[in-house]
Each structure stands twice: as C-alpha cells, then as structure tokens.
Amino acid sequence: MPPGSIPVLLIEDTPSLARVYAEYLKKESHTVISVETGADALAQLNDGAPKVVLLDLQLPDMNGMEVLKRIDTQALPCAVIVITAHGSVKAAVEAMRYGAYDFLVKPFSADRLVVTVRNAMERLRLAQLVDTFEKDLNRARYHGFIGSSLAMQAVYRIVDSAASSRATVFITGESGTGKEVCAEAIHRQSQRAARPFIAINCGAIPKDLMESEIFGHVKGSFTGAVSDREGAAARADGGTLFLDEICELAPDLQTKLLRFIQTGTFTPVGGSKLEKVDLRIVCATNRDPLREVEEGRFREDLYYRLHVIPIHLPPLREREDDVLEIARHYLAEFAKEEKKGFTSFSPEAQQALRHYHWPGNVRQLQNVVRIVAVLHDGDTVTPEMLPPPLGAPQPLVPAVVPALAAAGAAPAPRPHVPPSPDSIKPLWEVEKDAIEDAIAACDGNIPRAAALLQISASTIYRKRLAWQAEGKL
C-alpha cells in the first residue's frame, strides 16, 4: 500500500459500478480494495480491518447485513457506509442499529461519496483520539506512581513522550515527590528497560568519594582503594544513570561530569585508560537549578547540557484526591506487613489527610500511614490515630491528666528545671543518640526507624556515613 494512502474496502458485486466508485475515491488518495462477494469481504476483514468499508447489501452469496453484523460483533475499528439500490427506512434503521456510519441509496454522485467517506474518516480519527485521552486520563497507576489527578496525568504523558528519546531528562520537585520513581519510569518505558538502572544520591555520599562512585577507581589510587572498583557509569552501560540531588555536586566534579556528557568517555580515579560507555543520564534536584546557576553554585554550561527535557513533579497538595489513593495503598501494604486489620480511613480521617499541607509530600504521607499501622490496630483509621500535626497532640503525662480531671482539680503546670552545663551534649550527639536508639528499637530496620522519627531513610543513611567518616560512629 502506498505511503500516506488510506485503505477503503469496497464490497460491490457489479464490476462497472465498482470501477466507477474506485475512480471517485482514487482522486482523494484512497487505496481501494474491491471485492464482489461477502466471503471475500470477510477474508479481507480477517487480514486487517480497513479504515472505511463501502458495503452493498445485495451480494451474490449472502446479505450484506451479515457482513455488517460480523463487523459489529468483532468491534472492528472501521466505519461502514451501506450502499444499496433498494433503499428503505427499515433497511436504514437496521443498518444503523448494527453500527453503520451512513446510508447511501444508488445512484449517488461522486461528491456525495467523497464527502461521506471523508466524514467517516474524521469520525474515526476523533473516536480514536477520545479513546486515547480516556486511556491516558484514567491511569491511576504508572510505573510506581500512584494517582489519577490531572497534574499526574500530564507527568505520565511527558514520560511517555520522553522515554523513547536519548535526550537527558532533568526532574525537579520538592523533596518526597517521587523524583527517583519518575527516573525509573522513564527507564522502564524506554528501549533501555532491559539494561541496568543505576541511581546515585549526590548528597548522601562524601564529596571526596563522589568521583569514585561515578567513575570508579583503580587499586592504590587512594587510601583504602585495595582493589579496582567499577563506578556507576560503567555499571549503567547500555542503561540509565540517575543522578539525584545533582546540585550537591562539587564544582570540580561538575567539570568532569560535563566532559563525560559531551564525550561519553571517562577515566577511573587513579587510572590512565579512557573508557567509553553508552548510557542515558537522568538527573534530579529539589532546589531551583536556575537560582543555583545565578548564585554560582552550579555550572551554567552543565545546566544547559542536562536541562534538555524538563519534568516538574507537582507537590502532593496540588494533586487533588491522590493523597487518599496513596494513603489507601500504603495502608493495605503496611497493615499486611504489620499483621494489622486496617482496611479503610474514616470520613474524618480522610478529611484530615485531604486538607493537610504535606510539606514532606508522598514520603511524609508514607511515614504517617506506617506510624498508624505500627502503633494502632482496628478496621478503620480514625483522626485520633493520626500522628501530630494531623491528629490531636499527645499529652505529656496521659495517665495523670485524666486522674486530676476526675478529681476536679486542674493540673498544675510543671516547673521548668534548667539542666546543668555539664549535662548538655552537642546537638549532633543528641541527634545521633536518638537515631541509633530508634534503629535499635526497630531491630536494625532503618526504614521503620525513619518512619517513627518522621524523617526519610536516606537522611539516616547520609548522617551515619558522615559520622562514620568522622570517626563518630
């Protein structure tokens, strides 16, 4: 079939009329496939449905209405125009009932046929467009994302469009909006999906180790380099390298990353051999990258190399009722994990979730639901089960206050006793003790400890790495 031509199946048992109709349509660049019997028509339909079917009802081997019924039953994506010399209201009504687009009574002019076919084509195009929009707008799950809001539908469509490209993607958004989930979605939707997806958090790794993490090192290149080590760039060969918190990179490493992006080559730390890889870079930050450029913390030329396809992830507060969809998902997951009986949120709890500002976005919501699943049990989550600031603040001495109230006495304010200077610890030590105590209480489960502390697990990993590097752990 010639490129750009539109297939039309003409089912007409009179050869002279078939030739006339075909000539009418060829002027519109349609490719006409002409058959004379119902059996031949069904065979053509089985091979692949054309865009438009011109169907004569009086065929030598069967009634054309049988062909129309077959098209309707199989829901073939084509528009049927019935043509007959025996027009009647009854035949027209029956043809329309089985999905015919229009009804032409012989004889008809060339203009009438051309306009009818053209309108049928346009109707098919619009129907397919509506189907596409309905499919896109009804996606509540997308490669790890949860949410059917219009804001997220726009993100899904950008990922669909960007995934097939080799261009670098720059993801922005507040902390906890799912930037790594977005990077994985791009990878999984792309032709590189079968190859590795390697993620590095540029803010969680000490700066003096960052170059080795990305490009690897050779044995003896620095203290502690007891063997050759392959970096993330080499491990991601053929796949995707995700650089999270890209604005945390040191200036000298930004220069090396720029050269790597331009050439696709790098040299491991301490090495002399130039290595070449084929990968796609996706990066992300929760900062304003342009402001970082303006204030001299991020190279302008690197920014424009990376900022080819921008994707901005909306905060949870701008995602309509996605907060409830996400909360229900995590409630089912954590209830199963903690062996609890929760199945739903009460209307009051839903109201509290919906109207909260969510400065920590999806990560904060995940932590809130985990705290509920860990500390409570029941069928329904009520507002009292939600941790502050969503739920009611917990009293400092819950056993004493009700007893005083029952006795008719107002609780006396607790006097503030300032500590002695010798008992005050450095703030980092207080923070370290709190984190280590939480990890010990959770039997070493850092994500659960992070949920109870209402911080992200990556914060704990980053702080422990820093303490370890400073000899404080």
Side-chain angles (χ1 to χ4, degrees), residues 160-188:
D160 283 340
S161 301
S164 60
S165 169
R166 293 174 56 89
T168 303
V169 179
F170 202 121
I171 306 169
T172 56
E174 296 178 7
S175 180
T177 49
K179 293 185 286 294
E180 184 166 349
V181 175
C182 184
E184 287 196 67
I186 293 168
H187 174 73
R188 291 166 60 184

Side-chain angles (χ1 to χ4, degrees), residues 280-291:
R280 181 186 199 169
I281 291 182
V282 178
C283 59
T285 182
N286 58 7
R287 301 184 186 181
D288 180 348
L290 271 179
R291 177 173 293 180

Side-chain angles (χ1 to χ4, degrees), residues 1-20:
M1 189 174 295
S5 63
I6 300 172
V8 175
L9 177 61
L10 172 60
I11 310 169
E12 169 61 64
D13 63 330
T14 305
S16 58
L17 288 177
R19 285 194 297 272
V20 170

Side-chain angles (χ1 to χ4, degrees), residues 233-436:
R235 299 199 306 275
D237 191 16
T240 302
L241 176 61
F242 174 52
L243 299 175
D244 197 7
E245 303 305 340
I246 187 72
C247 290
E248 300 287 346
L249 278 182
D252 59 334
L253 192 51
Q254 291 181 28
T255 303
K256 294 177 182 178
L257 180 61
L258 176 62
R259 176 172 176 77
F260 171 58
I261 295 171
Q262 289 172 334
T263 65
T265 61
F266 65 93
T267 303
V269 176
S272 57
K273 180 181 177 182
L274 198 65
E275 298 187 18
K276 186 173 181 64
V277 292
D278 170 30
L279 54 78
R280 181 186 199 169
I281 291 182
V282 178
C283 59
T285 182
N286 58 7
R287 301 184 186 181
D288 180 348
L290 271 179
R291 177 173 293 180
E292 296 297 305
V293 171
E294 291 168 0
E295 296 182 1
R297 291 188 292 268
F298 199 77
R299 290 182 62 108
E300 184 177 15
D301 47 4
L302 178 59
Y303 168 77
Y304 286 112
R305 276 284 178 179
L306 295 173
H307 201 270
V308 180
I309 301 177
I311 298 179
H312 180 72
L313 296 182
L316 187 56
R317 60 185 171 275
E318 296 178 5
R319 290 176 53 181
E320 303 166 10
D321 280 347
D322 283 359
V323 61
L324 299 181
E325 293 183 44
I326 298 169
R328 293 187 190 105
H329 169 82
Y330 284 124
L331 183 66
E333 179 180 319
F334 296 150
K336 181 178 179 181
E337 182 181 313
E338 300 293 338
K339 297 180 173 57
K340 301 296 179 68
F342 289 116
T343 58
S344 62
F345 292 87
S346 71
E348 296 78 13
Q350 291 184 38
Q351 194 79 349
L353 294 173
R354 189 184 287 112
H355 288 93
Y356 183 59
H357 190 63
W358 297 111
N361 294 291
V362 177
R363 186 181 295 124
Q364 183 186 10
L365 175 58
Q366 182 180 6
N367 291 344
V368 164
V369 178
R370 183 180 283 279
I371 290 170
V372 170
V374 170
L375 300 182
H376 303 279
D377 199 359
D379 294 331
T380 304
V381 176
T382 61
E384 295 76 19
M385 297 178 183
L386 298 174
L390 281 89
Q394 300 298 316
L396 293 174
V397 279
V400 175
V401 175
L404 289 172
R414 299 177 63 186
H416 174 69
V417 180
S420 65
D422 294 339
S423 66
I424 297 176
K425 296 181 179 180
L427 186 58
W428 70 264
E429 191 173 338
V430 174
E431 183 181 48
K432 181 174 77 68
D433 290 344
I435 288 176
E436 293 303 317

Side-chain angles (χ1 to χ4, degrees), residues 65-188:
M65 200 68 74
E66 295 301 317
V67 177
L68 179 60
K69 290 178 181 178
R70 182 76 63 89
I71 293 172
D72 181 61
T73 301
Q74 297 180 3
L76 299 179
C78 56
V80 179
I81 300 170
V82 171
I83 53 176
T84 181
H86 308 281
S88 69
V89 174
K90 183 178 179 181
V93 169
E94 187 177 6
M96 296 298 180
R97 185 155 55 90
Y98 286 106
Y101 167 70
D102 207 343
F103 188 90
L104 297 179
V105 179
K106 300 176 183 178
F108 46 80
S109 66
D111 287 344
R112 178 79 172 95
L113 177 61
V114 166
V115 168
T116 303
V117 171
R118 190 182 298 159
N119 290 342
M121 290 284 185
E122 180 64 13
R123 183 194 182 194
L124 273 177
R125 188 187 69 82
L126 292 175
Q128 290 169 357
L129 190 61
V130 169
D131 288 343
T132 301
F133 277 125
E134 286 182 348
K135 179 182 176 182
D136 288 350
L137 292 175
N138 287 332
R139 288 187 286 190
R141 299 288 189 277
Y142 184 82
H143 293 303
F145 278 116
I146 302 169
S148 52
S149 64
L150 288 176
M152 290 310 297
Q153 300 300 328
V155 171
Y156 303 159
R157 297 202 66 178
I158 294 174
V159 172
D160 283 340
S161 301
S164 60
S165 169
R166 293 174 56 89
T168 303
V169 179
F170 202 121
I171 306 169
T172 56
E174 296 178 7
S175 180
T177 49
K179 293 185 286 294
E180 184 166 349
V181 175
C182 184
E184 287 196 67
I186 293 168
H187 174 73
R188 291 166 60 184

